Amino acid sequence: MATSRFFNMPPFASTWNKSKVSLQRVNITSNAIQKTVRFSVINCSLKINHTQPALNDEIRVPSVIKEMENEEITSPSVAGRLVKGGPVFQQNVSVRSFEIDSEYKMSTKAIMNYLQEASLNYAKKLGLTIDTRFGITPGMRKMDLVWVFRGMHIEVDRYPCWGEVVQILHWTCASGRTGVRFDWTINDINTGETLVRASCLAVMMNKNTRKTCKLPEEVKDEIKAYLREDVEPIVEAFKYSCPQTEAMDHIKTGLTPGWNDLDVNYHVNNAKYLDWILESTPDSIRDRHELWKMNFEYRKECLKDDVIQSLSRVVPSNEKNRDIEVEHVLRLESGHQVLRARTVWRTYSHSCRGINSMKIIF
């Protein structure tokens, strides 16, 4: 579950100011990204690396990032800062010991939590939060509406290591008639390298009926000044067929949420679903590979007393392809599906072990 504030997305710029920005194409070995463009801004402390798969041999660069070329970047507070009056939200975070896995890397669940935190802080910075309600406009409060995630798409080029400082950039766009899309990048604060890209579709839910609904006209009027219709997502969802539950051969039953898994809307936080799909992922995959791509389709909310079954199936692939795809389904004991997902795993591309020379003595 996440909330966000909306802003006016600047139009795509047709050219760059060559006196201020130099472009350099860099080839990288990871098969996750086909092209990389490094943007170095001269006469300014901002430097951004944006990585995105090329379409028709062209490289797409979000206009929100282009708009930052003349922005002086300073160290923001813990709650982050608005860039250029609000088109982009920026927040710096340090990878802490309780957010890492056995390889000293930031866990995927921690990444998902930081994306949500950036959205909430962005709403707070723009004054959208009413009392203690996250990202609730007056119209939403009147009609008992909240934001919920419908789909989440994440690609990780490199996981941040323990002790690294990373910078989160976040912006929001319109998506069809009923939804709003959140986009994020997580970047290395020193090099500008883009480490993580994520996109999410959010829709409205009535907190009394627990059903999703269209954006009411009153709410549209409140947010329309902050939304754009012509901005492409930072990462595209990869298409796949609907998973067949009867073909799932890895099953974990009896999974239940705890009190700490509930969010402010009293249902399970979206990041907890990742824990559950990993429960039925074969150990041979988890032990030798790392998550590269994640595609989540949230079908139904999960409440405190629900009992979950986690089902997974390794997708057959060409032997030459070293990446592994896994289909996932989370469902209630009644059979209703809570989540459909597909994950792509790659062999470990980077280990953080030994990156710090200090000795820790307990």
Side-chain angles (χ1 to χ4, degrees), residues 43-224:
N43 302 325
C44 171
S45 60
L46 171 66
K47 181 168 62 176
I48 295 177
N49 257 8
H50 175 69
T51 56
Q52 181 80 344
L55 297 180
N56 299 325
D57 204 31
E58 293 181 357
I59 296 177
R60 297 183 302 170
V61 182
S63 57
V64 291
I65 293 183
K66 289 185 180 182
E67 283 290 313
M68 296 172 62
E69 63 178 88
N70 294 319
E71 182 76 10
E72 182 179 358
I73 300 300
T74 58
S75 296
S77 65
V78 173
R81 68 190 288 266
L82 302 177
V83 179
K84 297 188 73 66
V88 179
F89 177 76
Q90 173 206 348
Q91 181 175 6
N92 295 353
V93 298
S94 176
V95 182
R96 295 167 291 187
S97 60
F98 51 84
E99 298 167 334
I100 61 175
D101 59 17
S102 60
E103 295 298 315
Y104 292 78
K105 300 180 299 184
M106 179 184 279
S107 69
T108 312
K109 184 176 181 180
I111 289 175
M112 295 180 71
N113 283 329
Y114 270 123
L115 300 182
Q116 177 175 280
E117 178 71 4
S119 293
L120 296 175
N121 284 335
Y122 183 49
K124 185 176 180 180
K125 277 293 181 182
L126 287 182
L128 185 61
T129 299
I130 300 174
D131 300 326
T132 58
R133 299 176 179 90
F134 292 130
I136 305 301
T137 67
M140 291 173 63
R141 179 173 62 175
K142 184 189 305 182
M143 290 175 275
D144 290 323
L145 297 176
V146 294
W147 291 107
V148 295
F149 284 175
R150 175 55 61 87
M152 171 74 80
H153 321 296
I154 304 174
E155 292 188 12
V156 181
D157 189 48
R158 179 176 73 79
Y159 283 89
C161 297
W162 172 48
E164 279 192 86
V165 177
V166 296
Q167 184 176 93
I168 303 173
L169 298 178
H170 172 47
W171 59 96
T172 312
C173 313
S175 179
R177 297 180 179 180
T178 61
V180 173
R181 193 186 75 243
F182 304 153
D183 285 320
W184 301 266
T185 64
I186 299 180
N187 310 292
D188 186 299
I189 197 171
N190 295 315
T191 66
E193 174 192 4
T194 301
L195 308 180
V196 180
R197 289 173 289 124
S199 237
C200 175
L201 174 65
V203 297
M204 298 231 142
M205 182 187 77
N206 185 293
K207 68 179 183 180
N208 296 321
T209 65
R210 316 306 291 185
K211 294 182 178 180
T212 58
C213 60
K214 294 183 179 180
L215 287 172
E217 291 299 323
E218 182 176 347
V219 178
K220 286 182 181 179
D221 291 340
E222 290 176 317
I223 67 177
K224 65 182 180 181

